[in-house]
Amino acid sequence: MLTGAGSVLNGARVRPGESVAVIGVGGVGLNAIGAARIAGASPIIAVDVRDGVLRRARAFGATDVVNSSCTDAVAAVRELTGGGVRHALDVVGVAATAEQALRMTALGGGVHLVGLAAGRAHLKLSLPRLLLEQKRIQGLVMGSGDPRRDIPRYADLYLRGRMNLDDLVSRRIGLHEIDAGYAALRDPDVARVVITSF
């Protein structure tokens, strides 16, 4: 919750009516989509390679979904928005998706790197193009958040029915099942596993 929602509300500072694309809609991406909805973003486009998580993304506020395993995600997002999004969040953390985020961002837009990239990942940039298109690239750690400020805020949003956390919980387990819980996270249909008993 801190990373996904914070990346939208604290890092990108999405405003009402601004367009958002979220690349990678696991648990962090779903929270980013939910926060974009809370911020009043439109459209909110979910990009992933798995149909199951794209269906789930609609429950969190995605207005459109793009399966990048069978569609050119950049072309699809640019077509849906008439030229690109104001904010593209790469939650995956690989060079290919970061480059997609850069290419699907409109003039003056922001690319927000949320997913932790592997040590040798590099982003290729055309400096003249970056300058002329006035784009910005921002790395975000833990959603640029302050837990003392943000956790009570998100709890309040949840209690008021504005933040969807219930649909994130795919499985509830006991502490003795923790190994199975970690293994379950490899399943693309599992968003989050929660320990409910000791």
Side-chain angles (χ1 to χ4, degrees):
M1 176 173 42
L2 281 173
T3 299
S7 293
V8 169
L9 300 174
N10 301 324
R13 297 184 181 173
V14 173
R15 300 289 176 250
E18 292 183 334
S19 53
V20 172
V22 177
I23 304 172
V25 289
V28 174
L30 291 172
N31 278 317
I33 288 167
R37 180 187 51 77
I38 290 167
S42 181
I44 303 168
I45 305 166
V47 179
D48 205 288
V49 297
R50 304 164 294 173
D51 286 326
V53 297
L54 289 171
R55 281 191 295 276
R56 185 181 288 139
R58 288 197 182 273
F60 283 79
T63 59
D64 301 275
V65 297
V66 174
N67 186 324
S68 57
S69 71
C70 57
T71 304
D72 179 337
V74 174
V77 168
R78 294 186 76 82
E79 183 177 341
L80 284 166
T81 56
V85 290
R86 180 73 179 164
H87 303 278
L89 288 89
D90 171 25
V91 183
V92 179
V94 298
T97 53
E99 288 171 10
Q100 282 181 325
L102 188 59
R103 292 182 8 246
M104 67 178 56
T105 306
L107 180 73
V111 175
H112 311 283
L113 305 175
V114 180
L116 184 59
R120 294 188 182 264
H122 293 89
L123 180 59
K124 295 178 185 175
L125 298 172
S126 163
L127 295 180
R129 188 169 180 180
L130 189 65
L131 175 71
L132 294 172
E133 293 180 357
Q134 302 178 62
K135 294 183 181 181
R136 68 190 181 288
I137 300 172
Q138 177 183 29
L140 300 171
V141 176
M142 293 296 292
S144 294
D146 175 352
R148 282 182 274 179
R149 175 197 66 208
D150 294 337
I151 290 175
R153 176 184 182 196
Y154 299 152
D156 180 61
L157 287 168
Y158 170 74
L159 292 171
R160 289 191 289 134
R162 296 194 59 213
M163 183 170 274
N164 182 0
L165 298 179
D166 295 328
D167 290 338
L168 279 175
V169 181
S170 302
R171 296 190 188 165
R172 289 176 170 78
I173 63 170
L175 187 58
H176 67 283
E177 301 171 286
I178 196 160
D179 290 337
Y182 274 112
L185 291 174
R186 292 188 199 102
D187 181 344
D189 292 325
V190 173
R192 287 288 181 259
V193 176
V194 175
I195 300 171
T196 57
S197 64
F198 299 98

